[in-house]
Amino acid sequence: MTSLTEAYIDSLAPNAGAMKNGRDLVKKNSFPVLRITADGTLLFGECKGSGKEPYRCSVDFVQPDSPLSRCSCPSRQFPCKHTLGLMYAYALGKPFEQAEVPPDIAEKREKADKREEKKKEAETAEANGEAPVKRKVNKSALTKKMNAQLEGLSLLEKLVLQTVQAGLGGLNKKSVQLIEEQAKEMGNYYIPGVQAELKGLLLLLEEEGNREAVYSQAIEQLIRLHSLVKKGRSYLEQRLADPEMPMDTETTLEELLGHAWQLAELKEYGRIRQSSELLQLSFLSYTDQAKGEYVDAGWWVNLQDGTIHATRNLRPFRAAKAIKEEDTVHAVVQTEELFQYPGEVNARVRWEKGTFRDASGLDYKAAKAFATASFPDVVKQVKNVIKNPLADRNPVMLIAFHSLEKVGDSFVFKDVQGKPLPINTEMIETPAKVETILPLLQADDLQDQAALVMFRHDVESGRLTAQPMSIITDSRVIRLLY
Amino acid sequence: MSVNVLLDLQQEVRRLFVTGSALAEGDLRLSKLLPSLRKAGEAAPVFIRLADSAEALLTAPRTESASKLLELATLLSAILHTQGKTDVSGEQQPLEALGIGLSTDITYRRLHPLLEALTTKGSGRLEQLRQAYEGRSYLDLRALPALCRALDDVYAEIPDFLQQKLIPEFGTAAVPVLRSQLDLQGGKGDARRLQLLHSSLGEESLELVSEAGSSGSPELKVAAIGLLSGYDGQEPFLLEQSREKRKEVREAAYFALSQIASLPSQDRLFEAVKSKDGELVVDPIRKCKALDLHKRIIDHADIQLDRYLNNEGKDKSNALQQLHIDLRCLNGNGHALANEAFPLLGKLLATDEFITAESEAVQELAAELLLELNAEPADRFAIGLHSAYKGKFIGYSFRAAYRQLSKAELYDRYADAIKGRSASAKLLQAALQEVAHGQLADEDYDSAAAVPVDAWDPRWAKTLAAQDLIELVCMFTHKEEREVTTYLLSKLKDGSRVNDYRTQNVLLTLFRIGYKEAPELFMSLLENKSSRSFYYIDWRMKLLFSSMPKSYVPRLRAFTEVLTYAAVKNELLEIVEAMEALPDEPAGESGKGVWAWIKNKMY
């Protein structure tokens, strides 16, 4: 808490706007009252708002690694700009007056302590062999739900077959509108994932411009939908026949159908890894139009075994303001429990409690050591993944390259054996263009380093290319995205 | 594996997807592929599956065609995804790394808004750049290309800001990027790139700049010429460029030549003054340090005056035009040229035949220049213009007299002329105002309303009051004087609005001269119902507030509390509170402390 830095406060802020607003409050001298307790665990004060009464805000550092913000303002952003401003004021060295803990906060602290105790009791009870209350599944409700899901899949199948039978060339505004209505209807069958895939097709069809490219993508999407119907149906029918059967945790099928995995479920299925260390290699925030959400995606290397994990922080458009926007993480994250979602490559992970430590040269070296040295091996691995129509079409891999060369206007990686891997610079849309950054690097950075790359198979040209996301050297990560 | 068969099959499948699977039954082109699929199947069984699947499609009834096509496509797609090619054709050469050692450590939430601002259109982008500049969140390798690219932005303030603040911070790291983006045939953005390259490379960039100057697009030429003027040996090139077809290029060359100021440059500039480029060289010549050039222009102007006086028609008007340009070239260097210019200007203004309606602009210019000489003989001559030409130059006469005469002499000489509504009286009033305003400009707000006491004859206030020149009266009143005070009070009657700046000026004057009723007058005007709505307040109002004695604070507070507009109310309440906080002072002394406090808040 004494080492409260601006960068740390930035990391607490829900978005860039909140950081700026918080700082502006300090600049505008909006805190007539700034106080701190003698033990330094509580900052509190008053902040002028637009109303008559000032907002009373406080930040509690009783648990130093997870400060708790409280404010009397009605903002849904958390922490709000007032509590952020309070912390900035402290970090920027504004004078704080020493004072006692106000009674309302003291009361809240007490309650929190009690809650903590209860939780502990429950945990010890569990450790002593008392089985935790197992979640009960309402079987008849589940059956009903799965029947509805099957019905939804049939609806989709009919739609796909109709579209294929009539041909993409014959689609007009009216028929696209019809599909749109069906997509909406799909919302009634507990398969939001399927609905999103259908919307993905719609977005393609509504696209203006290069018809030929659209056709190729639309065909791929139709194949994907068709496979989803078939796989989804056989899976659901199996589970319907045997309700005791566990959920599929090997593939992303459940997620594709639209299941939102809860941490408790993942725990139940044993998808937890104890004490892991993760280093973020790349970060990107993008918009998923089909699902109607912003996605803050991170790609991480597990420093124990080199697995490339992905994190996805989803912010649906409707609630985007109230959800924290994730940011680039430079530190190594240490987690006691790493929850791992089902999936083949780049399985999604999450953690509830993580601590940070500064990344060092050792970590970069460790990450680099996990990179695959032979391009043919990586390519084989990638092809094995993408041949499945339901798989992630853009696997992300860590490769070791010997050199980065230029071919005409484009680039190519070479491995130690001189085997090429063509570089694609247009797969991921970012304002900072990869092709403009690569030539700026130092010669050392382009020689015998590792790169995190995303693959894509282009159906039209039949080529497999990779876009570099980051270059990992012995001393740093050069982030080409964020 | 026979990849070609696969590609052919892919073509057909794709075609059927576009035309619709309903037409697939017995499709000729697809069935033609069957034999080669079967043949390939002898080597790789997966082709047999493809052939079976294709056959199933060919023989399926319409209703089942779609699912058959999808099955075939799924299988084919899976196979093709394992056949993705990664070979590279074409010459491969090592990537020449430019070796910029910048980090890529700025996080997404700080870098992304900056990149968005640099690569999109729309409002709020400059603000975003300012923030990035303040937070230093732009010193990142990934931002550099976009920053340099945004020099082409059409919203000029963005490239301005980038050129002046952000890009120079990168130092030489920006050079390779700027160099690779530079297009010598480009537009304004490329001119900026050239300037930035020059400022970080200095003489090293001379070759590039010369190239831009000789073969670049006009924008680049202009920029290059500006940069080249600082180097020896560029004169021949600049002389050549001063004869370029494009006006902008010539102008830049003239500016560059005026900086060099060598004899050939002077010759060229003098030549240009006489040519159709006269207008264009006025500014460059004004900036030229070599006054020999200006002396030549004075001689030239003298000849033009004679030409004007001795000719008729076109020749006459041409001479006048040239005279106008010549005189304008002298602006800014008046004092240094006093000896040479005075004879010309004296002759010009003393020649009755020259004082005509068509030459009015030149006369004014000459009179203004006369004062600019700032020399005694010139001023004496100007004073002598007092009543010449029906008082046409009385304003200039007065301004010269202010410099040369004592304050009493000045008053005695001009007090009568200022009376009335004649043209010359108005000119004199304007001149008085101009001189007085010039004295106010240097002062701070608090004494803004008055000219210095010892600079003027005390009789002015009364004289001006008699002429109902309220603004001047406010400026010239320093002490209570019955006539003047009565006049000022007369201005406050009949419902003057307190938030009118004229009313406020009168009140401020009354406060300044220590008129006893001033606080009450102000208070009653404030409390007058008609002046309740304030949309804003300026420094005058704040000064008035802080001029009030402390005994009025309760009434001021009562007034402020009921104001409608919150912003105004809060601002005034702050002042009232500051006044309340002050210790009790002897009457008349109040206000100073509060005013200092307010000023402190204003800047």
Side-chain angles (χ1 to χ4, degrees):
Chain A
M1 145 79 206
T2 40
S3 60
L4 194 58
T5 61
E6 283 188 71
Y8 176 66
I9 306 168
D10 284 351
S11 77
L12 294 176
N15 52 50
M19 292 185 223
K20 177 175 185 293
N21 294 337
R23 282 204 175 85
D24 284 354
L25 286 174
V26 182
K27 256 192 231 164
K28 282 191 280 179
N29 271 330
S30 296
F31 291 94
V33 179
L34 289 169
R35 298 207 170 106
I36 185 167
T37 52
D39 60 354
T41 55
L42 185 75
L43 297 178
F44 60 107
E46 287 179 3
C47 181
K48 267 184 262 173
S50 53
K52 217 179 204 171
E53 290 289 308
Y55 297 125
R56 281 182 300 281
C57 43
S58 66
V59 186
D60 198 338
F61 291 86
V62 154
Q63 287 173 305
D65 49 349
S66 60
L68 185 58
S69 307
R70 300 185 178 99
C71 185
S72 61
C73 76
S75 166
R76 282 172 61 197
Q77 287 198 359
F78 184 81
C80 65
K81 60 180 178 181
H82 310 103
T83 50
L84 288 169
L86 186 67
M87 287 187 271
Y88 285 125
Y90 184 81
L92 293 169
K94 297 269 164 192
F96 275 66
E97 198 183 324
Q98 214 174 77
E100 290 292 310
V101 179
D104 57 326
I105 306 264
E107 199 177 303
K108 279 184 178 146
R109 276 185 172 182
E110 230 167 80
K111 276 186 188 162
D113 281 346
K114 270 184 196 154
R115 269 200 303 273
E116 202 60 27
E117 256 169 52
K118 259 194 190 163
K119 212 169 154 191
K120 278 223 177 93
E121 267 169 38
E123 268 169 27
T124 44
E126 198 178 319
N128 292 344
E130 290 170 41
V133 191
K134 213 177 174 193
R135 296 186 320 136
K136 266 188 204 155
V137 181
N138 183 337
K139 271 186 204 144
S140 67
L142 185 65
T143 315
K144 206 171 156 191
K145 179 179 162 188
M146 287 196 285
N147 275 323
Q149 288 177 319
L150 282 168
E151 210 177 308
L153 287 178
S154 303
L155 193 72
L156 175 66
E157 184 177 34
K158 222 167 108 191
L159 188 64
V160 168
L161 292 179
Q162 264 173 11
T163 310
V164 173
Q165 193 169 356
L168 292 170
L171 282 176
N172 52 27
K173 255 199 182 130
K174 213 171 161 191
S175 43
V176 171
Q177 208 175 357
L178 217 67
I179 302 179
E180 206 172 335
E181 277 163 29
Q182 297 271 354
K184 243 180 225 159
E185 167 80 13
M186 207 74 83
N188 303 334
Y189 298 95
Y190 311 104
I191 39 175
V194 178
Q195 191 186 20
E197 291 289 341
L198 183 56
K199 275 188 192 154
L201 176 67
L202 265 174
L203 287 171
L204 278 175
L205 296 178
E206 281 163 359
E207 213 168 278
E208 304 284 329
N210 188 352
R211 264 351 260 175
E212 292 306 312
V214 168
Y215 284 153
S216 299
Q217 291 175 42
I219 293 169
E220 285 301 300
Q221 187 66 8
L222 281 168
I223 292 173
R224 190 172 164 92
L225 284 169
H226 181 65
S227 307
L228 186 55
V229 168
K230 280 172 57 179
K231 289 255 173 65
R233 180 183 288 148
S234 80
Y235 169 67
L236 286 171
E237 276 169 355
Q238 264 180 38
R239 282 202 73 196
L240 210 51
D242 174 14
E244 296 294 327
M245 194 182 101
M247 293 168 85
D248 177 9
T249 55
E250 289 311 309
T251 68
T252 49
L253 187 58
E254 276 284 359
E255 205 175 326
L256 278 170
L257 289 173
H259 180 65
W261 288 99
Q262 291 171 13
L263 293 186
E265 282 174 321
L266 293 174
K267 199 169 184 174
E268 217 170 282
Y269 284 105
R271 299 198 60 86
I272 287 186
R273 293 170 73 158
Q274 305 297 334
S275 53
S276 312
E277 284 200 328
L278 298 172
L279 174 67
Q280 193 183 67
L281 295 181
S282 190
F283 178 86
L284 182 69
S285 192
Y286 60 90
T287 309
D288 186 337
Q289 283 295 350
K291 286 190 177 151
E293 62 197 9
Y294 301 108
V295 183
D296 305 328
W299 288 271
W300 310 68
V301 60
N302 188 325
L303 290 174
Q304 270 105 23
D305 62 3
T307 319
I308 303 296
H309 288 298
T311 49
R312 277 196 288 280
N313 180 43
L314 310 176
R315 293 179 289 126
F317 295 159
R318 274 175 302 172
K321 275 212 162 160
I323 300 176
K324 184 179 169 186
E325 188 183 9
E326 285 300 329
D327 200 357
T328 312
V329 178
H330 290 300
V332 171
V333 176
Q334 299 168 304
T335 65
E336 268 176 42
E337 286 182 325
L338 184 69
F339 296 87
Q340 207 171 328
Y341 285 61
E344 291 92 349
V345 283
N346 312 140
R348 183 181 168 192
V349 290
R350 251 176 86 184
W351 56 86
E352 271 189 301
K353 272 188 188 166
T355 52
F356 296 87
R357 69 162 173 82
D358 283 340
S360 70
L362 286 178
D363 297 311
Y364 303 129
K365 281 192 185 122
K368 219 180 126 177
F370 288 122
T372 316
S374 151
F375 288 175
D377 284 358
V378 182
V379 167
K380 204 169 145 192
Q381 228 178 317
V382 168
K383 285 176 176 172
N384 237 335
V385 174
I386 57 175
K387 71 177 183 193
N388 176 358
L390 292 183
D392 180 359
R393 277 178 267 199
N394 300 108
V396 172
M397 302 279 175
L398 189 59
I399 60 163
F401 63 91
H402 171 61
S403 62
L404 205 163
E405 293 177 10
K406 222 176 153 151
V407 188
D409 280 340
S410 56
F411 305 94
V412 61
F413 281 124
K414 288 274 181 72
D415 71 1
V416 186
Q417 258 100 48
K419 292 273 188 322
L421 180 62
I423 290 179
N424 184 330
T425 53
E426 281 153 5
M427 198 187 301
I428 307 168
E429 261 183 61
T430 58
K433 300 273 173 246
V434 178
E435 66 267 29
T436 63
I437 302 171
L438 286 178
L440 304 182
L441 295 171
Q442 290 164 311
D444 283 356
D445 300 332
L446 302 172
Q447 202 78 37
D448 293 313
Q449 307 293 3
L452 187 75
V453 297
M454 182 182 276
F455 282 89
R456 186 172 81 170
H457 176 92
D458 184 58
V459 182
E460 266 181 287
S461 63
R463 290 181 65 77
L464 183 68
T465 52
Q467 169 151 2
M469 303 158 79
S470 286
I471 290 176
I472 298 102
T473 73
D474 288 337
S475 56
R476 61 173 181 153
V477 176
I478 301 165
R479 291 168 179 261
L480 301 170
L481 304 181
Y482 292 103
Chain B
M1 209 187 277
S2 322
V3 177
N4 285 339
V5 191
L6 288 175
L7 292 181
D8 289 344
L9 185 60
Q10 188 191 16
Q11 281 300 315
E12 301 314 317
V13 166
R14 186 189 153 90
R15 178 174 57 82
L16 288 173
F17 263 105
V18 176
T19 55
S21 66
L23 304 173
E25 197 177 349
D27 184 82
L28 272 180
R29 285 164 65 178
L30 184 59
S31 35
K32 268 189 194 156
L33 287 175
L34 280 179
S36 39
L37 278 174
R38 294 265 176 229
K39 186 155 173 266
E42 289 163 16
V46 72
F47 283 89
I48 300 188
R49 276 178 64 200
L50 276 176
D52 289 346
S53 187
E55 211 158 353
L57 171 62
L58 285 167
T59 54
R62 268 178 86 102
T63 46
E64 279 172 40
S65 64
S67 67
K68 296 289 177 210
L69 177 59
L70 278 164
E71 270 163 39
L72 173 60
T74 308
L75 181 58
L76 178 63
S77 167
I79 297 171
L80 284 172
H81 271 93
T82 64
Q83 299 298 312
K85 283 182 294 227
T86 55
D87 56 330
V88 177
S89 59
E91 200 194 331
Q92 293 152 37
Q93 55 204 37
L95 180 62
E96 273 183 43
L98 295 171
I100 300 175
L102 280 168
S103 74
T104 57
D105 289 343
I106 306 291
T107 63
Y108 164 78
R109 290 199 298 192
R110 305 207 305 147
L111 183 63
H112 185 70
L114 171 67
L115 291 176
E116 282 279 286
L118 291 171
T119 53
T120 55
K121 298 268 166 278
S123 59
R125 293 181 297 140
L126 185 59
E127 179 56 32
Q128 202 53 259
L129 295 187
R130 289 219 173 94
Q131 264 177 50
Y133 182 64
E134 269 173 40
R136 299 190 71 71
S137 59
Y138 62 96
L139 287 167
D140 188 291
L141 186 67
R142 293 162 292 176
L144 188 53
L147 281 167
C148 294
R149 183 53 69 199
L151 286 170
D152 293 321
D153 203 296
V154 286
Y155 173 34
E157 280 167 52
I158 286 185
D160 277 348
F161 189 64
L162 293 174
Q163 188 180 357
Q164 282 155 22
K165 305 274 179 161
L166 269 74
I167 296 178
E169 296 269 336
F170 282 93
T172 48
V175 168
V177 182
L178 290 167
R179 189 71 191 84
S180 67
Q181 290 181 359
L182 181 69
D183 172 10
L184 290 182
Q185 301 308 318
K188 284 202 186 77
D190 292 293
R192 290 174 191 276
R193 282 185 192 102
L194 189 67
Q195 285 160 351
L196 280 164
L197 280 169
H198 177 260
S199 64
S200 51
L201 292 176
E203 209 163 336
E204 267 178 64
S205 64
L206 197 55
E207 198 177 320
L208 177 68
V209 176
S210 304
E211 192 190 336
S214 52
S215 60
S217 66
E219 268 96 350
L220 271 288
K221 272 192 159 181
V222 170
I225 288 170
L227 297 173
L228 285 174
S229 65
Y231 292 97
D232 294 336
Q234 295 296 332
E235 193 175 31
F237 172 69
L238 295 173
L239 285 170
E240 185 192 315
Q241 291 305 311
S242 74
R243 296 181 197 282
E244 238 278 321
K245 219 173 7 174
R246 292 184 73 109
K247 202 172 129 202
E248 297 80 10
V249 178
R250 289 204 307 275
E251 190 178 10
Y254 289 139
F255 269 111
L257 288 173
S258 83
Q259 272 212 294
I260 295 176
S262 63
L263 267 181
S265 307
Q266 290 182 36
D267 285 343
R268 176 67 192 113
L269 289 170
F270 186 60
E271 185 193 340
V273 170
K274 297 184 285 183
S275 71
K276 62 178 175 24
D277 268 359
E279 285 290 337
L280 213 54
V281 284
V282 168
D283 276 329
I285 289 179
R286 281 181 184 171
K287 290 221 166 72
C288 184
K289 291 278 174 287
L291 292 181
D292 285 344
L293 171 63
H294 300 81
K295 287 171 191 161
R296 282 164 81 181
I297 292 175
I298 290 172
D299 290 342
H300 183 250
D302 207 26
I303 300 170
Q304 300 312 309
L305 178 59
D306 288 341
R307 247 179 86 200
Y308 175 77
L309 295 173
N310 299 326
N311 280 297
E312 284 304 323
K314 192 128 176 82
D315 237 12
K316 195 179 171 86
S317 66
N318 281 347
L320 186 64
Q321 220 167 12
Q322 186 63 52
L323 190 55
H324 194 213
I325 290 172
D326 288 353
L327 289 183
R328 276 166 58 209
C329 290
L330 305 180
N331 269 131
N333 289 309
H335 188 58
L337 293 167
N339 290 335
E340 290 78 11
F342 178 47
L344 167 70
L345 297 172
K347 181 174 161 194
L348 203 148
L349 290 170
T351 308
D352 284 356
E353 293 80 39
F354 186 71
I355 310 299
T356 59
E358 57 172 5
S359 67
E360 198 130 283
V362 182
Q363 297 161 28
E364 297 278 330
L365 191 61
E368 199 59 60
L369 214 64
L370 189 65
L371 292 184
E372 202 193 300
L373 301 184
N374 201 4
E376 211 200 320
D379 280 346
R380 291 282 166 207
F381 174 79
I383 294 170
L385 289 172
H386 185 142
S387 50
Y389 314 114
K390 296 182 193 154
K392 188 170 182 163
F393 298 107
I394 192 167
Y396 298 100
S397 164
F398 177 81
R399 281 160 60 195
Y402 179 78
R403 281 206 294 242
Q404 299 296 341
L405 304 183
S406 74
K407 45 190 180 178
E409 279 170 347
L410 185 75
Y411 178 79
D412 290 338
R413 186 172 179 127
Y414 294 96
D416 275 338
I418 209 164
K419 291 176 186 161
R421 293 174 177 279
S422 66
S424 71
K426 287 215 166 121
L427 284 172
L428 186 54
Q429 289 161 14
L432 179 62
Q433 191 137 11
E434 195 185 322
V435 176
H437 264 298
Q439 292 171 344
L440 300 186
D442 314 333
E443 302 284 337
D444 223 338
Y445 277 135
D446 32 356
S447 53
V451 294
V453 184
D454 42 10
W456 298 87
D457 191 290
R459 288 170 288 173
W460 279 112
K462 216 161 107 185
T463 311
L464 294 169
Q467 296 305 313
D468 190 15
L469 298 165
I470 181 66
E471 236 182 290
L472 286 168
V473 176
C474 287
M475 284 193 267
F476 279 86
T477 306
H478 292 289
K479 59 178 201 298
E480 240 194 289
E481 210 176 340
R482 201 170 46 80
E483 287 98 328
V484 180
T485 315
T486 317
Y487 166 71
L488 286 173
L489 290 176
S490 75
K491 287 283 155 190
L492 289 182
K493 278 178 194 153
D494 45 349
S496 356
R497 288 153 42 87
V498 75
N499 43 355
D500 184 321
Y501 76 96
R502 280 165 298 201
T503 314
Q504 292 170 353
N505 271 344
V506 172
L507 281 165
L508 284 171
T509 309
L510 287 172
F511 271 108
R512 189 174 66 233
I513 63 177
Y515 181 63
K516 274 210 189 63
E517 301 295 315
E520 188 52 42
L521 267 171
F522 176 47
M523 199 63 235
S524 60
L525 277 175
L526 275 182
E527 284 166 350
N528 185 344
K529 280 257 166 2
S530 64
S531 54
R532 267 295 134 92
S533 47
F534 287 80
Y535 297 95
Y536 70 95
I537 49 169
D538 61 5
W539 62 271
R540 287 194 183 85
M541 194 59 156
K542 292 180 191 167
L543 183 52
L544 279 171
F545 254 67
S546 61
S547 302
M548 293 293 270
K550 201 170 174 188
S551 54
Y552 278 88
V553 166
R555 280 173 76 186
L556 286 173
R557 176 174 272 282
F559 160 78
T560 311
E561 295 278 0
V562 295
L563 282 175
T564 334
Y565 293 92
V568 173
K569 184 168 148 183
N570 290 338
E571 221 174 329
L572 286 178
L573 269 180
E574 269 187 55
I575 298 178
V576 172
E577 276 162 19
M579 291 169 76
E580 282 169 353
L582 280 181
D584 288 312
E585 285 175 73
E589 264 306 299
S590 88
K592 289 278 183 297
V594 180
W595 179 237
W597 174 81
I598 293 173
K599 276 204 297 178
N600 208 11
K601 283 206 64 144
M602 279 161 71
Y603 309 107

